[in-house]
Amino acid sequence: MLGAEPIWIVLRLLHIVSGALWVGSAFLFVGFIGPSAAEVGPSAGPLLSVAVKKRKVAKVITWLGMTTVAAGWVLWFLNLRDRGGLGDWVGSSFGLGITIGAVLATATFFVGYYGVGKNIERMVDLGDAIAAAGGPPSAEQQAEMGRLGADLERFGKLDLVLLLLAITAMSTARYW
Ligand code: HEM
């Protein structure tokens, strides 16, 4: 029977648990942490610095995404193997739903990595440099902080919308 081998159970567990943590983390960051930090301004600096630089939250979320995507593609190819080819797998309603979710989530991984993860690390580095200098930020630093903030908001929202579409496809594919 499909999916009875232990490898399926281990891959599904890795895939769904890391997927749930990935979507949950993105929701918390984009929905609450990001807007709150933007609202309180420089006083959010020390909290973000500890979360991003010491506790590596952006790297942890990247690893959750990578685990979800990697385990997902292995499951996808196991399904391809067990269902007798691409036409039978993606041609099935379950396979189509899963594949649409897979493409959306894989694209989201790169949006999240470059658009959110890298930018939040740059913003924290800049914030730490401004705090270390002690005085008010220069005009260039202020402009850079503004640009990073706008990019984080834009890519964060795109990331969250794509993730919600991906998890909707994944969780309903069985009933398509
Ligand atoms: C946000 C990211 C993702 C989440 C939350 C997620 C969640 C899920 C869930 C809940 C299921 C179980 C569906 C069911 O059995 O009815 C599932 C199955 C599956 N997912 Fe994902 N998924 C994500 C991304 C991906 C990606 C990027 C791939 C890459 C190909 C993928 C491939 C699969 C496959 C092949 C299955 C079917 C496994 C099986 O036949 O037992 N998923 N996913």
Side-chain angles (χ1 to χ4, degrees), residues 92-141:
S92 71
S93 49
F94 178 60
L96 180 63
I98 291 290
T99 306
I100 290 172
V103 171
L104 284 168
T106 306
T108 313
F109 174 77
F110 293 101
V111 169
Y113 179 72
Y114 291 108
V116 181
K118 289 291 170 205
N119 278 330
I120 191 74
E121 287 174 347
R122 287 189 195 107
M123 182 183 263
V124 167
D125 283 343
L126 180 58
D128 286 354
I130 294 168
S138 68
E140 290 78 29
Q141 287 173 325

Side-chain angles (χ1 to χ4, degrees), residues 19-35 57 61 64 108 112 116 155-161 163-164:
L21 292 172
W22 181 22
V23 177
S25 307
F27 175 69
L28 183 70
F29 229 90
V30 174
F32 299 92
I33 308 283
V57 64
I61 296 174
L64 288 172
T108 313
V116 181
F155 285 115
K157 285 179 179 162
L158 176 62
D159 185 84
L160 192 55
V161 168
L163 275 178
L164 292 174

Side-chain angles (χ1 to χ4, degrees), residues 3 8 12 15-16 19-20 22-23 68-77 79 83 89 94 98 101-103 105-106 163 166-167 170-175:
W8 282 83
R12 275 181 65 96
H15 180 62
I16 298 173
W22 181 22
V23 177
T68 307
V69 171
W73 281 111
V74 176
L75 283 164
W76 194 92
F77 282 101
N79 271 286
R83 290 168 187 261
W89 170 219
F94 178 60
I98 291 290
V103 171
T106 306
L163 275 178
I167 195 172
M170 285 286 147
S171 57
T172 61
R174 182 168 293 282
Y175 311 104

